PDB file of all heavy atoms in Angstrom:
ATOM      1  N   ALA A 801     -13.960  -1.637  -9.174  1.00  0.00           N
ATOM      2  CA  ALA A 801     -13.442  -1.544  -7.729  1.00  0.00           C
ATOM      3  C   ALA A 801     -13.139  -3.005  -7.232  1.00  0.00           C
ATOM      4  O   ALA A 801     -12.118  -3.218  -6.646  1.00  0.00           O
ATOM      5  CB  ALA A 801     -14.476  -0.845  -6.821  1.00  0.00           C
ATOM      6  N   VAL A 802     -13.999  -3.946  -7.497  1.00  0.00           N
ATOM      7  CA  VAL A 802     -13.828  -5.273  -7.173  1.00  0.00           C
ATOM      8  C   VAL A 802     -12.658  -5.839  -7.781  1.00  0.00           C
ATOM      9  O   VAL A 802     -11.736  -6.592  -7.207  1.00  0.00           O
ATOM     10  CB  VAL A 802     -15.055  -6.141  -7.392  1.00  0.00           C
ATOM     11  CG1 VAL A 802     -14.775  -7.647  -7.153  1.00  0.00           C
ATOM     12  CG2 VAL A 802     -16.264  -5.673  -6.572  1.00  0.00           C
ATOM     13  N   HIS A 803     -12.363  -5.546  -9.097  1.00  0.00           N
ATOM     14  CA  HIS A 803     -11.253  -5.925  -9.834  1.00  0.00           C
ATOM     15  C   HIS A 803      -9.952  -5.511  -9.276  1.00  0.00           C
ATOM     16  O   HIS A 803      -9.089  -6.332  -9.053  1.00  0.00           O
ATOM     17  CB  HIS A 803     -11.371  -5.621 -11.368  1.00  0.00           C
ATOM     18  CG  HIS A 803     -10.141  -5.872 -12.094  1.00  0.00           C
ATOM     19  ND1 HIS A 803      -9.897  -7.143 -12.629  1.00  0.00           N
ATOM     20  CD2 HIS A 803      -9.073  -5.012 -12.522  1.00  0.00           C
ATOM     21  CE1 HIS A 803      -8.679  -7.114 -13.222  1.00  0.00           C
ATOM     22  NE2 HIS A 803      -8.281  -5.851 -13.169  1.00  0.00           N
ATOM     23  N   ILE A 804      -9.855  -4.183  -8.885  1.00  0.00           N
ATOM     24  CA  ILE A 804      -8.670  -3.616  -8.408  1.00  0.00           C
ATOM     25  C   ILE A 804      -8.392  -4.277  -6.953  1.00  0.00           C
ATOM     26  O   ILE A 804      -7.262  -4.682  -6.715  1.00  0.00           O
ATOM     27  CB  ILE A 804      -8.754  -2.121  -8.236  1.00  0.00           C
ATOM     28  CG1 ILE A 804      -8.778  -1.512  -9.624  1.00  0.00           C
ATOM     29  CG2 ILE A 804      -7.608  -1.581  -7.374  1.00  0.00           C
ATOM     30  CD1 ILE A 804      -7.365  -1.581 -10.324  1.00  0.00           C
ATOM     31  N   ALA A 805      -9.357  -4.357  -6.156  1.00  0.00           N
ATOM     32  CA  ALA A 805      -9.160  -4.910  -4.779  1.00  0.00           C
ATOM     33  C   ALA A 805      -8.816  -6.396  -4.805  1.00  0.00           C
ATOM     34  O   ALA A 805      -7.951  -6.852  -4.165  1.00  0.00           O
ATOM     35  CB  ALA A 805     -10.465  -4.760  -4.055  1.00  0.00           C
ATOM     36  N   ALA A 806      -9.445  -7.100  -5.762  1.00  0.00           N
ATOM     37  CA  ALA A 806      -9.179  -8.604  -5.883  1.00  0.00           C
ATOM     38  C   ALA A 806      -7.738  -8.779  -6.473  1.00  0.00           C
ATOM     39  O   ALA A 806      -7.008  -9.644  -6.052  1.00  0.00           O
ATOM     40  CB  ALA A 806     -10.146  -9.188  -6.842  1.00  0.00           C
ATOM     41  N   GLU A 807      -7.327  -8.000  -7.448  1.00  0.00           N
ATOM     42  CA  GLU A 807      -5.999  -8.131  -8.093  1.00  0.00           C
ATOM     43  C   GLU A 807      -4.962  -7.935  -7.024  1.00  0.00           C
ATOM     44  O   GLU A 807      -3.921  -8.667  -7.157  1.00  0.00           O
ATOM     45  CB  GLU A 807      -5.866  -7.054  -9.224  1.00  0.00           C
ATOM     46  CG  GLU A 807      -6.436  -7.497 -10.460  1.00  0.00           C
ATOM     47  CD  GLU A 807      -5.711  -8.742 -11.174  1.00  0.00           C
ATOM     48  OE1 GLU A 807      -4.622  -8.783 -11.113  1.00  0.00           O
ATOM     49  OE2 GLU A 807      -6.477  -9.519 -11.724  1.00  0.00           O
ATOM     50  N   PHE A 808      -5.056  -7.005  -6.159  1.00  0.00           N
ATOM     51  CA  PHE A 808      -4.009  -6.707  -5.213  1.00  0.00           C
ATOM     52  C   PHE A 808      -4.281  -7.320  -3.755  1.00  0.00           C
ATOM     53  O   PHE A 808      -3.650  -6.905  -2.850  1.00  0.00           O
ATOM     54  CB  PHE A 808      -3.742  -5.157  -5.001  1.00  0.00           C
ATOM     55  CG  PHE A 808      -3.370  -4.570  -6.397  1.00  0.00           C
ATOM     56  CD1 PHE A 808      -4.282  -3.997  -7.236  1.00  0.00           C
ATOM     57  CD2 PHE A 808      -2.109  -4.692  -6.657  1.00  0.00           C
ATOM     58  CE1 PHE A 808      -3.818  -3.466  -8.423  1.00  0.00           C
ATOM     59  CE2 PHE A 808      -1.594  -4.215  -7.922  1.00  0.00           C
ATOM     60  CZ  PHE A 808      -2.481  -3.478  -8.764  1.00  0.00           C
ATOM     61  N   GLY A 809      -5.234  -8.334  -3.654  1.00  0.00           N
ATOM     62  CA  GLY A 809      -5.368  -9.017  -2.420  1.00  0.00           C
ATOM     63  C   GLY A 809      -5.879  -8.211  -1.353  1.00  0.00           C
ATOM     64  O   GLY A 809      -5.508  -8.475  -0.093  1.00  0.00           O
ATOM     65  N   MET A 810      -6.661  -7.169  -1.651  1.00  0.00           N
ATOM     66  CA  MET A 810      -7.241  -6.301  -0.643  1.00  0.00           C
ATOM     67  C   MET A 810      -8.538  -6.910  -0.153  1.00  0.00           C
ATOM     68  O   MET A 810      -9.636  -6.484  -0.677  1.00  0.00           O
ATOM     69  CB  MET A 810      -7.312  -4.836  -1.110  1.00  0.00           C
ATOM     70  CG  MET A 810      -6.075  -4.368  -1.708  1.00  0.00           C
ATOM     71  SD  MET A 810      -6.248  -2.722  -2.586  1.00  0.00           S
ATOM     72  CE  MET A 810      -6.461  -1.623  -1.214  1.00  0.00           C
ATOM     73  N   ARG A 814     -12.319  -5.555  -1.054  1.00  0.00           N
ATOM     74  CA  ARG A 814     -13.101  -6.486  -2.063  1.00  0.00           C
ATOM     75  C   ARG A 814     -14.368  -7.049  -1.474  1.00  0.00           C
ATOM     76  O   ARG A 814     -15.422  -6.959  -2.159  1.00  0.00           O
ATOM     77  CB  ARG A 814     -12.101  -7.651  -2.378  1.00  0.00           C
ATOM     78  CG  ARG A 814     -12.768  -8.701  -3.247  1.00  0.00           C
ATOM     79  CD  ARG A 814     -12.025  -9.990  -3.228  1.00  0.00           C
ATOM     80  NE  ARG A 814     -12.100 -10.514  -1.789  1.00  0.00           N
ATOM     81  CZ  ARG A 814     -11.211 -11.241  -1.214  1.00  0.00           C
ATOM     82  NH1 ARG A 814     -10.054 -11.610  -1.835  1.00  0.00           N
ATOM     83  NH2 ARG A 814     -11.345 -11.691  -0.092  1.00  0.00           N
ATOM     84  N   ASP A 851     -13.250 -12.361 -12.676  1.00  0.00           N
ATOM     85  CA  ASP A 851     -12.239 -12.246 -11.550  1.00  0.00           C
ATOM     86  C   ASP A 851     -12.337 -13.265 -10.569  1.00  0.00           C
ATOM     87  O   ASP A 851     -12.003 -13.116  -9.385  1.00  0.00           O
ATOM     88  CB  ASP A 851     -12.465 -10.873 -10.827  1.00  0.00           C
ATOM     89  CG  ASP A 851     -12.184  -9.684 -11.799  1.00  0.00           C
ATOM     90  OD1 ASP A 851     -10.988  -9.410 -12.011  1.00  0.00           O
ATOM     91  OD2 ASP A 851     -13.111  -9.004 -12.298  1.00  0.00           O
ATOM     92  N   ASP A 853     -10.418 -15.818 -10.025  1.00  0.00           N
ATOM     93  CA  ASP A 853      -9.149 -16.235  -9.297  1.00  0.00           C
ATOM     94  C   ASP A 853      -8.821 -15.392  -8.133  1.00  0.00           C
ATOM     95  O   ASP A 853      -8.083 -15.872  -7.273  1.00  0.00           O
ATOM     96  CB  ASP A 853      -8.080 -16.125 -10.363  1.00  0.00           C
ATOM     97  CG  ASP A 853      -8.037 -17.237 -11.405  1.00  0.00           C
ATOM     98  OD1 ASP A 853      -8.643 -18.297 -11.015  1.00  0.00           O
ATOM     99  OD2 ASP A 853      -7.414 -17.181 -12.461  1.00  0.00           O
ATOM    100  N   HIS A 854      -9.422 -14.233  -8.064  1.00  0.00           N
ATOM    101  CA  HIS A 854      -9.064 -13.349  -6.959  1.00  0.00           C
ATOM    102  C   HIS A 854     -10.193 -12.956  -6.029  1.00  0.00           C
ATOM    103  O   HIS A 854     -10.093 -12.030  -5.126  1.00  0.00           O
ATOM    104  CB  HIS A 854      -8.483 -12.074  -7.518  1.00  0.00           C
ATOM    105  CG  HIS A 854      -7.361 -12.309  -8.500  1.00  0.00           C
ATOM    106  ND1 HIS A 854      -6.101 -12.772  -8.120  1.00  0.00           N
ATOM    107  CD2 HIS A 854      -7.317 -12.191  -9.842  1.00  0.00           C
ATOM    108  CE1 HIS A 854      -5.354 -12.907  -9.175  1.00  0.00           C
ATOM    109  NE2 HIS A 854      -5.987 -12.549 -10.204  1.00  0.00           N
ATOM    110  N   LEU A 855     -11.325 -13.642  -6.117  1.00  0.00           N
ATOM    111  CA  LEU A 855     -12.502 -13.247  -5.372  1.00  0.00           C
ATOM    112  C   LEU A 855     -12.259 -13.705  -3.839  1.00  0.00           C
ATOM    113  O   LEU A 855     -12.861 -13.147  -2.984  1.00  0.00           O
ATOM    114  CB  LEU A 855     -13.810 -13.892  -5.915  1.00  0.00           C
ATOM    115  CG  LEU A 855     -14.356 -13.118  -7.142  1.00  0.00           C
ATOM    116  CD1 LEU A 855     -15.675 -13.760  -7.580  1.00  0.00           C
ATOM    117  CD2 LEU A 855     -14.624 -11.548  -6.855  1.00  0.00           C
TER     118      LEU A 855
END
Side-chain angles (χ1 to χ4, degrees):
V802 173
H803 172 79
I804 290 292
E807 277 293 321
F808 294 99
M810 306 171 72
R814 175 202 64 208
D851 293 286
D853 280 343
H854 308 289
L855 284 181

